[in-house]
């Protein structure tokens, strides 16, 4: 795709926002037609290939390619002619998809309730502020996806991959931050209670431990009531003192992303071990540990790098 100076378009950021939001609107129409949650214009086009013409398929692939370039190429710009081509192509595609949607509706493809809900959603999208918010969110998601992809690539480089492993490890724990904090408070309350109970000098620890335990107990009871781990588990279980502590390990075991946690933790441990081995002058073993850490970074990047459309 040819590029031009930014003076030929009113605002580069406005053009990028228009391209991303237009593609997002088309993708939303395609989700409704395919009843699929799979992201990506290219993948959705293949799902609709039996219901649309070859010309519309080519136009959809063109829009997907321009959207990806706008989101991920740092120097992306369009001339006025290319922007008009994108707009006219998008208009043709939207008309074709809406015609297919109307045809399915006339054939009774949708239920009445579903169609009413979709019409209400369409009316809300056209109200103004809602559409603006959705456009902003679509732009932010696309730009963040580009940043996430660049971070993931770090795993392929020696030493830089350690930062990527650390990021994966911390973000994995961050998703369980309340479980981690409450577990630490629970353990601290028990330790303070035991210390205060075994020594008269430490009565303050006993009272502090009891206060912390009471606060954690209330939080666990509320969390277990509002966000039960298993639907069939009785809610009164989370009101039983001490017994409700099982909520934390079960929540941890069930919700933690174990592959990311274990692999990134293994890579970081290997890197830390290499530093220790260098201190003891075991250079060969330290080199092997660094290679293992690097390999872990590569595997993490390969497994969890955000897949982009070609």
């Amino acid at each position: 795709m040819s590029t031009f100076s930014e003076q030929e378009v009113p605002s580069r950021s406005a053009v990028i926002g228009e391209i991303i939001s237009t593609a997002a609107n088309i993708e939303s129409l395609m989700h409704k037609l395919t009843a699929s949650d799979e992201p990506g214009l290219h993948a959705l086009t293949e799902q609709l290939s039996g219901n649309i013409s070859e010309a519309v398929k080519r136009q959809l692939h063109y829009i997907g390619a321009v959207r990806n370039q706008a989101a991920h190429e740092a120097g992306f710009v369009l001339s006025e002619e290319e922007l008009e081509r994108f707009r006219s192509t998008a208009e043709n595609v939207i008309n074709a998809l809406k015609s297919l949607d109307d045809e399915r509706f006339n054939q009774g493809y949708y239920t009445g309730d579903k169609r009413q809900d979709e019409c209400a959603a369409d009316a809300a999208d056209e109200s103004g502020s809602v559409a603006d918010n959705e456009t902003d969110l679509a732009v932010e998601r696309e730009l963040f996806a580009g940043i996430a992809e660049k971070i993931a690539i770090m795993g392929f480089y020696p030493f830089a991959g350690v930062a990527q492993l650390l990021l994966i490890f911390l973000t994995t724990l961050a998703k369980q931050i309340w479980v981690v904090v409450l577990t630490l408070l629970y353990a601290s309350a028990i330790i303070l209670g035991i210390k205060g109970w075994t020594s008269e000098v430490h009565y303050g620890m006993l009272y502090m431990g009891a206060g912390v335990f009471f606060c954690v107990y209330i939080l666990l009871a509320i969390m277990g009531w509002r966000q039960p781990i298993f639907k069939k588990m009785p809610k009164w279980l989370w009101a039983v003192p001490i017994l409700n502590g099982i909520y934390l390990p079960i929540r941890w075991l069930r919700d933690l992303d174990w592959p990311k946690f274990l692999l990134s933790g293994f890579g970081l441990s290997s890197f830390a071990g290499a530093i220790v081995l260098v201190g003891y002058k075991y250079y060969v073993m330290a080199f092997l540990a660094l290679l293992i850490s690097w390999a872990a970074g590569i595997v993490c990047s390969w497994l969890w790098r955000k897949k982009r459309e070609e």
Side-chain angles (χ1 to χ4, degrees), residues 69-216:
Q69 289 178 320
H72 306 298
E73 291 184 5
F76 175 84
V77 286
L78 285 181
S79 67
E80 293 181 0
E81 292 79 8
E82 289 174 312
L83 182 58
E84 284 303 318
R85 178 193 173 192
F86 176 84
R87 288 170 174 168
S88 61
T89 303
E91 184 178 358
N92 292 336
V93 166
I94 290 173
N95 290 335
L97 294 177
K98 285 184 176 180
S99 296
L100 178 59
D101 184 39
D102 291 338
E103 179 182 347
R104 289 187 173 184
F105 172 63
N106 293 331
Q107 293 175 354
Y109 183 84
Y110 303 113
T111 63
D113 292 341
K114 181 179 179 181
R115 185 63 178 186
Q116 289 175 4
D117 292 341
E118 290 170 350
C119 290
D122 292 340
D125 289 341
E126 295 172 359
S127 63
S129 61
V130 174
D132 292 340
N133 291 335
E134 289 183 351
T135 299
D136 293 341
L137 288 174
V139 173
E140 289 176 5
R141 280 195 296 266
E142 289 290 345
L143 295 179
F144 178 77
I147 295 172
E149 184 179 12
K150 290 180 177 62
I151 292 175
I153 294 175
M154 290 195 305
F156 292 97
Y157 299 96
F159 297 105
V162 176
Q164 187 244 9
L165 287 172
L166 182 61
L167 180 64
I168 290 177
F169 186 80
L170 293 178
T171 51
T172 303
L173 285 181
K175 294 179 181 179
Q176 292 276 79
I177 188 64
W178 281 109
V179 177
V180 174
V181 171
L182 289 177
T183 301
L184 292 175
L185 289 175
Y186 211 102
S188 300
I190 294 174
I191 294 173
L192 289 172
I194 293 175
K195 287 288 186 180
W197 188 269
T198 56
S199 174
E200 294 182 358
V201 180
H202 297 152
Y203 269 143
M205 292 184 178
L206 177 62
Y207 301 144
M208 186 179 297
V212 173
F213 181 84
F214 179 76
C215 293
V216 173

Side-chain angles (χ1 to χ4, degrees), residues 259-286:
K260 287 186 177 182
F261 179 75
L262 293 176
L263 186 54
S264 60
F266 174 73
L268 292 172
S269 299
S270 298
F271 182 77
I275 295 176
V276 173
L277 290 171
V278 168
Y280 285 99
K281 298 182 179 180
Y282 296 132
Y283 299 116
V284 175
M285 296 180 65

Side-chain angles (χ1 to χ4, degrees), residues 215-284:
C215 293
V216 173
Y217 162 75
I218 295 297
L219 288 173
L220 288 179
I222 295 174
M223 290 175 66
W225 184 266
R226 293 185 176 179
Q227 298 177 335
I229 301 175
F230 305 111
K231 293 182 179 179
K232 294 183 179 180
M233 186 173 290
K235 293 183 176 180
W236 60 262
L237 187 66
W238 313 120
V240 179
I242 305 226
L243 187 61
N244 68 354
I246 65 172
Y247 181 88
L248 294 173
I250 294 177
R251 184 77 177 265
W252 175 272
L253 291 170
R254 194 198 69 169
D255 294 343
L256 185 67
D257 193 339
W258 285 101
K260 287 186 177 182
F261 179 75
L262 293 176
L263 186 54
S264 60
F266 174 73
L268 292 172
S269 299
S270 298
F271 182 77
I275 295 176
V276 173
L277 290 171
V278 168
Y280 285 99
K281 298 182 179 180
Y282 296 132
Y283 299 116
V284 175

